[in-house]
Amino acid sequence: MTQLRLDPLTGRWVVVSVERADRPQAFQARCLPVQTDLDRPCPFCPGNEESTPPALETYGASGRWLVRVTPNLFPAFVGDNPLVVSHLGPVFTQAGASGIHEVLVLSPEHDADWGDVSEEQAGLIMAAIRDRIEEHSSHPALRYSQVIVNAGREAGASIEHPHGQLLGMPFVPRELADEQAGFARYSGNCLLCTAVDAEEMAAHRVVHADDRVLVVCPFWSGMPFEMLLIPRAHDPHLYRAQPRDLAAVGRAIRTSISLLRHRIGDVAYNVVFHSAPYRASGPYHWHVHLWPKITALAGFELGTGVLINVVAPEVAAGELRAAVAVS
Ligand SMILES: [Zn+2]
Ligand SMILES: [Zn+2]
Ligand SMILES: [Zn+2]
């Protein structure tokens, strides 16, 4: 049986093809190498700090950095100008891409990604993300920070050493605006506070739970083994969250990636942080998406924006929970 399920965050329908859900073992671990130029020294390893611009911030007590933030050498957004839109013709509209683009080196260890780091390290990474978003928010021309981690070539990583990116943007991107509209449209209390209660009640899509955070394969999952990490403490803004909630989310990301790896192998994935635009006052609840890259977006998905998920989230969550037993 195939079902349509509504993603209340974005307002989009997803297709869940339940009859194919008994074949998740068809997924392959990734095989494409991230870096082909293996002779080049890694710019993010300790000792090679000169190959990046000077650090904006480092974390770690003993003089040896554990997390490092630097400007991106090839920024997509740069400069402090407000968004000025010019019309060059009836259908040609452009604006300067001012903003901030930074690299977040997650660890001094070249081979340890977020699934391998210590609990303390996971907490430091989240503290760095919080601090940078707060700094971005002080720029009057900027409105929103997008924080991402791409791991694996299939997920867009071009450097193997585990790292993320922090982008301060002069506009609110479409995905965020859609989610803001989803929160505003929801007639109950908070959409994600309600999702926490409802998913815990249903129980079979829960991957991990502790007293600060819930990880589920959400009811409306558009991709196999997609996970949503929701802090229990309601706050629209990541950068205003309590340190203990940030640390708990950092640990939950570590657990989720580790479970995914136990279940599927060395899979590429994207971690996406969603937080309200700095000065937004409408309803929102910050959260983290974990999207494993195990199926390709093809013509139908690109042409319609409709995702077809071949693994029901109920099955995916069950398999991830089972991976705990063997981890
Ligand atoms: Zn490295
Ligand atoms: Zn909430
Ligand atoms: Zn989101």
Side-chain angles (χ1 to χ4, degrees):
M1 186 180 66
T2 294
Q3 282 179 353
L4 289 179
R5 296 187 181 184
L6 183 69
D7 179 343
L9 285 168
T10 58
R12 284 173 232 153
W13 290 101
V14 303
V15 183
V16 178
S17 272
V18 181
E19 86 280 9
R20 303 179 57 138
D22 55 347
R23 318 179 310 153
Q25 59 278 4
F27 298 115
Q28 297 294 314
R30 75 181 143 104
C31 49
L32 294 175
V34 172
Q35 273 161 306
T36 46
D37 182 8
L38 294 171
D39 295 334
R40 198 167 68 108
C42 170
F44 299 157
C45 269
N48 300 337
E49 286 84 356
E50 280 75 43
S51 48
T52 63
L56 297 162
E57 201 84 70
T58 58
Y59 296 79
S62 61
R64 176 177 168 268
W65 62 264
L66 296 174
V67 173
R68 190 165 180 267
V69 181
T70 71
N72 194 310
L73 258 185
F74 309 101
F77 295 89
V78 65
D80 248 342
N81 296 321
L83 190 75
V84 178
V85 175
S86 14
H87 299 278
L88 308 179
V91 292
F92 304 132
T93 305
Q94 76 171 31
S98 58
I100 297 171
H101 192 170
E102 297 166 346
V103 172
L104 171 73
V105 183
L106 300 183
S107 156
E109 310 270 339
H110 187 84
D111 295 317
D113 88 346
W114 205 323
D116 307 311
V117 300
S118 67
E119 293 194 357
E120 295 70 27
Q121 184 76 22
L124 278 184
I125 297 168
M126 291 303 294
I129 290 172
R130 192 213 75 86
D131 292 352
R132 294 317 297 166
I133 296 179
E134 182 169 62
E135 202 284 326
H136 294 180
S137 74
S138 70
H139 295 247
L142 302 185
R143 295 187 62 194
Y144 171 73
S145 287
Q146 183 58 61
V147 181
I148 54 165
V149 174
N150 302 330
R153 166 60 80 192
E154 297 83 347
S158 56
I159 290 178
E160 197 172 65
H161 195 120
H163 66 286
Q165 298 175 58
L166 306 129
L167 299 104
M169 305 170 61
F171 62 95
V172 177
R174 170 71 187 271
E175 196 70 16
L176 230 285
D178 283 352
E179 289 197 357
Q180 287 181 285
F183 278 90
R185 202 163 45 227
Y186 187 68
S187 56
N189 186 12
C190 162
L191 172 50
L192 283 191
C193 286
T194 306
V196 166
D197 292 344
E199 288 287 18
E200 278 199 304
M201 192 86 79
H204 54 322
R205 282 178 298 272
V206 173
V207 175
H208 165 86
D210 62 31
D211 57 346
R212 307 217 161 264
V213 58
L214 183 75
V215 182
V216 294
C217 293
F219 176 81
W220 53 82
S221 295
M223 295 180 201
F225 296 93
E226 165 181 347
M227 284 178 256
L228 181 63
L229 295 83
I230 314 171
R232 291 179 192 275
H234 175 86
D235 200 318
H237 298 280
L238 183 159
Y239 76 93
R240 292 189 194 148
Q242 294 297 317
R244 57 182 184 272
D245 293 312
L246 290 165
V249 169
R251 289 194 300 271
I253 293 172
R254 170 180 177 264
T255 302
S256 303
I257 293 170
S258 166
L259 292 178
L260 191 61
R261 246 207 238 115
H262 276 99
R263 172 59 191 83
I264 300 180
D266 186 20
V267 62
Y269 59 84
N270 302 105
V271 181
V272 172
F273 293 82
H274 276 157
S275 176
Y278 320 133
R279 290 170 285 277
S281 55
Y284 200 79
H285 184 140
W286 77 275
H287 57 274
V288 184
H289 299 276
L290 173 53
W291 281 307
K293 210 75 179 179
I294 44 188
T295 47
L297 295 186
F300 179 74
E301 289 84 355
L302 291 171
T304 61
V306 177
L307 298 171
I308 300 179
N309 186 356
V310 295
V311 179
E314 295 75 22
V315 173
E319 301 221 351
L320 291 167
R321 280 199 309 272
V324 182
V326 299
S327 64

